[in-house]
């Protein structure tokens, strides 16, 4: 860090917690403007101690401009070789009251106690968005606020340890608002867990109903998978109907996820149900229609109509192999459309989602949906699985999500994501993610790391342009380690490789990471 002259008075101010500037200083000491000035930090070039249009507070030597911008040549950076707290802010006055959204492109090396964008002193509650951790690719984040007093302060905050850094660039403040409507979780494992003795507790340790505990944390949507004739008898029509009643009783919405298999369907396996083996392609289309219609009409009849339906699960390679493989797009299209037609026959307003894995694979997602569109596949929404330890960096995920929404003009959502809160196992089976080297850089296997992962993924969905980002489903919130509730429906002795990514701890208590359900 080179010394920045001209800071003698401001640099001697005692550092305060980031974010306190405008409660500690009179508002008129801030730069007042009616529109955001120098949002691209291009006015000064490299090394500006206080960028034009902006003010600083705290350890001001840690806030400066330098080359390497997102859009233009320069960016705002927070960095110091020792621990620091600094705020770079801009006070806007004379604003018309109404809804506004701050958009910013950001990078962060992580490690801070806090690093966030904020809109405050706008007449209501301060709104914040944490900076996702991304040391290379830029990520766009948004922060909405309602201005009711004709003014607002735009704030970039760091409460950082030695050597931590952030980059911020290309800020805009525009009319409009953002948010996500789906704060969901897959709880397909719950019925079997309870049948095998699984217990769920509140954060304070009181035994309770898992669905109720999740709802109380802000969960508003449940995802349930359907297998045709599974070996263990769970995740079948009867159990989906029973769990759906519990979901709807809590006021939640319901996503039904058809695997069209007796066991797991994913990019590596799309095995036909035993009852459909040997059927012709024409028969398989009828099978898909009848099975889809049967489950959904039964749900509707008991007063728990599905609010969204997935026709297939992670169908990157197609479904009902080999007839429905992507090696034969015309047949795959026919099978998907058969499911689509069944959904609409039960309830014409239920949206149908198509679900792919590999949420960071923009080229692969385009290839799949370009083929689907060319073959006349009908769908209403796009769901992607995105696991950061498998599917590439957050910046790739954002690029894929944004592109899918724009290219196909459909709403998008994360159908599955998760993150570990610890690495060791609670049963004899090795966990899917069990070493530090498998983790996403900057996101530790702690409850705090799990929480930050979910908030940052949801922030990226919230930032999808034109309001097309619906939200996120956490994958298998209730799959704790319970003897008999392993991964293989045909093997009662199989273990669970996922209990370190549940939202309940090894003591069965709700984890504080459930707070992500309360994201905007």
């Amino acid at each position: 860090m080179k010394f920045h002259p001209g800071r003698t008075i401001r640099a001697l101010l005692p550092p305060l917690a980031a974010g306190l500037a405008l409660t500690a200083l009179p508002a008129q000491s801030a730069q007042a403007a009616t529109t955001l000035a120098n949002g691209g930090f291009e006015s000064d070039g490299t090394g500006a101690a206080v960028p034009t249009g902006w003010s600083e507070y705290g350890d001001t030597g840690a806030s400066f401009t330098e080359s390497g911008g997102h859009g233009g040549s320069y960016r705002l950076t927070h960095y110091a070789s020792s621990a620091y707290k600094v705020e770079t802010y801009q006070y806007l006055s004379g604003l018309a009251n109404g809804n506004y959204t701050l958009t910013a492109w950001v990078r962060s090396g992580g490690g801070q106690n806090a690093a966030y964008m904020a809109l405050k002193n706008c007449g209501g509650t301060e709104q914040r968005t944490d900076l996702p951790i991304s040391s290379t690719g830029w990520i766009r984040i948004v922060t909405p606020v309602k201005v009711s007093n004709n003014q607002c302060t735009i704030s970039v905050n760091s409460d950082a340890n030695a050597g931590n850094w952030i980059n911020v660039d290309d800020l805009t403040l525009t009319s409009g608002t953002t948010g996500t409507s789906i704060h969901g979780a897959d709880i397909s494992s719950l019925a079997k867990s309870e049948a095998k003795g699984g217990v769920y507790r509140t954060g304070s340790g009181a035994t309770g109903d898992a669905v109720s505990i999740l709802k109380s944390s802000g969960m508003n949507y449940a995802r349930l998978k359907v297998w045709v004739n599974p070996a263990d008898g769970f995740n079948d029509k009867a159990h989906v109907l029973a769990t759906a009643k519990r979901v709807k009783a809590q006021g939640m919405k319901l996503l039904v996820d058809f695997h069209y298999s007796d066991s797991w369907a994913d990019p590596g396996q799309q095995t036909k149900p035993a009852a459909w083996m040997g059927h012709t392609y024409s028969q398989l289309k009828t099978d898909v229609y009848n099975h889809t219609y049967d489950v959904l009409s039964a749900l509707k009849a008991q007063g728990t109509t599905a609010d969204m339906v997935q026709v297939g699960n992670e169908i990157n390679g197609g479904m009902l192999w080999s007839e429905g493989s992507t090696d034969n797009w015309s047949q795959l299209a026919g099978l998907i459309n058969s499911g689509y037609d069944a959904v609409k026959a039960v309830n014409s307003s239920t949206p149908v989602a198509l679900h792919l894995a590999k949420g960071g694979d923009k080229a692969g997602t385009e290839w799949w949906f370009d083929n689907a569109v060319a073959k006349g596949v009908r769908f209403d929404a796009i769901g992607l699985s995105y696991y950061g330890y498998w599917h590439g960096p957050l910046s790739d995920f954002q690029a894929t999500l944004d592109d899918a929404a724009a290219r196909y003009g459909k709403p998008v959502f994360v159908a599955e994501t998760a993150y570990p809160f610890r690495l060791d196992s609670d049963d004899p089976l090795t966990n899917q993610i069990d070493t530090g080297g498998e983790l996403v850089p900057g996101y530790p296997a702690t409850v705090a790391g799990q929480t930050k992962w979910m908030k940052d993924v949801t922030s990226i969905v919230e930032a999808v342009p034109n309001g097309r980002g619906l939200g996120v489903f956490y994958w298998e919130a209730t799959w704790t380690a319970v003897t008999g509730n392993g991964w293989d429906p045909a093997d009662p002795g199989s273990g669970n490789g996922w209990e370190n990514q549940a939202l309940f701890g090894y003591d069965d208590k709700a984890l504080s990471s459930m707070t992500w359900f309360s994201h905007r």
Side-chain angles (χ1 to χ4, degrees):
M1 272 297 296
K2 58 177 182 267
F3 175 72
H4 295 286
R7 293 196 173 184
T8 49
I9 296 175
R10 290 188 59 85
L12 291 172
L13 287 168
L16 291 177
L20 294 183
L22 290 180
T23 55
L25 294 174
Q28 58 267 30
S29 73
Q31 175 77 27
T34 54
T35 56
L36 176 59
N38 194 22
F41 303 99
E42 298 296 309
S43 298
D44 311 288
T46 291
V50 183
T52 298
W54 295 86
S55 303
E56 296 174 341
Y57 196 72
D59 297 320
T60 58
S63 173
F64 53 92
T65 59
E66 62 181 350
S67 61
H70 166 261
S73 300
Y74 305 101
R75 67 194 184 206
L76 174 71
T77 290
H78 285 180
Y79 167 82
S81 57
S82 55
Y84 63 94
K85 294 179 182 178
V86 70
E87 177 186 28
T88 308
Y89 64 95
Q90 187 169 146
Y91 168 64
L92 302 181
S93 60
L95 293 173
N97 288 336
N99 292 315
Y100 291 85
T101 295
L102 175 70
T103 301
W105 288 89
V106 301
R107 297 192 300 196
S108 172
Q112 300 90 347
N113 301 314
Y116 60 91
M117 309 293 300
L119 292 169
K120 59 186 189 178
N121 304 319
C122 309
T125 306
E126 176 179 333
Q127 296 295 317
R128 295 183 179 183
T129 305
D130 292 337
L131 270 63
I133 297 168
S134 177
S135 59
T136 53
W138 290 88
I139 292 174
R140 187 185 63 260
I141 57 173
V142 293
T143 309
V145 76
K146 184 173 184 178
V147 172
S148 58
N149 60 355
N150 301 112
Q151 64 184 26
C152 196
T153 299
I154 296 165
S155 173
V156 184
N157 271 272
S158 291
D159 176 355
N161 298 299
N164 294 164
W165 61 269
I166 64 170
N167 299 147
V168 177
D169 203 3
D170 294 339
L171 285 81
T172 59
L173 186 70
T174 56
S175 60
T177 192
T178 65
T180 48
S181 59
I182 294 174
H183 307 132
D186 194 305
I187 55 170
S188 298
S189 62
L190 179 59
K192 188 174 180 181
S193 173
E194 292 171 334
K196 302 296 181 181
V199 172
Y200 297 88
R201 304 181 189 279
T202 65
S204 58
T207 302
D209 173 69
V211 185
S212 175
I213 293 168
L214 289 160
K215 169 62 187 282
S216 68
S217 292
M219 177 172 152
N220 65 7
Y221 222 122
R223 180 177 185 257
L224 299 175
K225 70 170 172 273
V226 189
W227 288 338
V228 176
N229 188 25
D232 61 1
F234 289 90
N235 296 299
D236 60 352
K237 174 185 168 184
H239 284 92
V240 168
L241 288 169
T243 304
K245 285 185 178 179
R246 297 171 60 183
V247 166
K248 293 282 189 168
Q250 291 292 336
M252 294 186 194
K253 291 185 175 181
L254 173 66
L255 168 60
V256 179
D257 169 21
F258 284 94
H259 283 227
Y260 302 113
S261 181
D262 292 335
S263 186
W264 303 98
D266 56 46
Q269 54 194 0
Q270 294 282 338
T271 306
K272 287 193 289 283
W276 304 0
M277 288 292 184
H279 287 195
T280 64
Y281 167 64
S282 179
Q283 287 173 311
L284 288 171
K285 283 200 294 183
T286 302
D287 292 332
V288 168
Y289 186 96
N290 289 346
H291 171 61
T292 306
Y293 186 91
D294 178 49
V295 173
L296 296 178
S297 59
L299 283 165
K300 183 178 180 180
Q302 71 171 15
T304 59
T305 301
D307 298 285
M308 191 189 307
V309 173
Q310 276 181 225
V311 173
N313 187 77
E314 294 190 333
I315 53 176
N316 300 60
M319 63 188 200
L320 295 166
W321 288 348
S322 60
E323 286 80 1
S325 161
T326 49
D327 290 339
N328 192 330
W329 261 102
S330 294
Q331 290 193 173
L332 174 57
L335 292 167
I336 294 172
N337 283 340
S338 188
Y340 181 95
D341 289 342
V343 175
K344 300 298 183 177
V346 174
N347 186 42
S348 61
S349 63
T350 300
V352 173
L354 299 184
H355 171 209
L356 301 186
K358 305 179 182 177
D361 181 7
K362 178 171 169 283
T365 303
E366 283 187 354
W367 174 86
W368 199 96
F369 278 100
D370 281 359
N371 275 289
V373 169
K375 294 297 182 183
V377 172
R378 297 190 290 281
F379 62 99
D380 306 310
I382 293 172
L384 298 175
S385 293
Y386 175 63
Y387 296 102
Y389 37 72
W390 291 330
H391 296 153
L394 285 164
S395 52
D396 285 358
F397 163 58
Q398 180 166 69
T400 306
L401 203 64
D402 289 355
D403 178 69
R407 189 177 182 93
Y408 308 106
K410 304 289 187 183
V412 295
F413 64 96
V414 176
E416 298 180 17
T417 190
Y419 206 76
F421 62 90
R422 59 195 291 173
L423 291 173
D424 61 318
S425 293
D426 195 27
D427 72 2
L429 184 65
T430 300
N431 289 331
Q432 290 275 318
I433 303 297
D434 70 336
T435 66
E438 294 173 295
L439 298 173
V440 179
Y443 294 88
T446 61
V447 174
Q450 184 185 52
T451 306
K452 180 161 177 57
W453 176 260
M454 290 308 301
K455 287 185 174 181
D456 291 349
V457 167
T458 311
S459 290
I460 288 172
V461 178
E462 184 185 5
V464 173
N466 300 310
R468 288 196 175 117
L470 296 178
V472 177
F473 289 94
Y474 193 90
W475 196 71
E476 282 292 9
T478 56
W479 200 8
T480 52
V482 176
T483 302
N485 190 24
W487 68 271
D488 186 353
D491 178 7
S494 64
N496 175 3
W498 207 262
E499 73 271 16
N500 66 326
Q501 300 193 62
L503 294 180
F504 291 86
Y506 290 5
D507 56 3
D508 301 322
K509 293 181 184 177
L511 298 173
S512 60
S513 43
M514 285 189 194
T515 54
W516 87 264
F517 285 121
S518 298
H519 193 281
R520 285 185 300 268

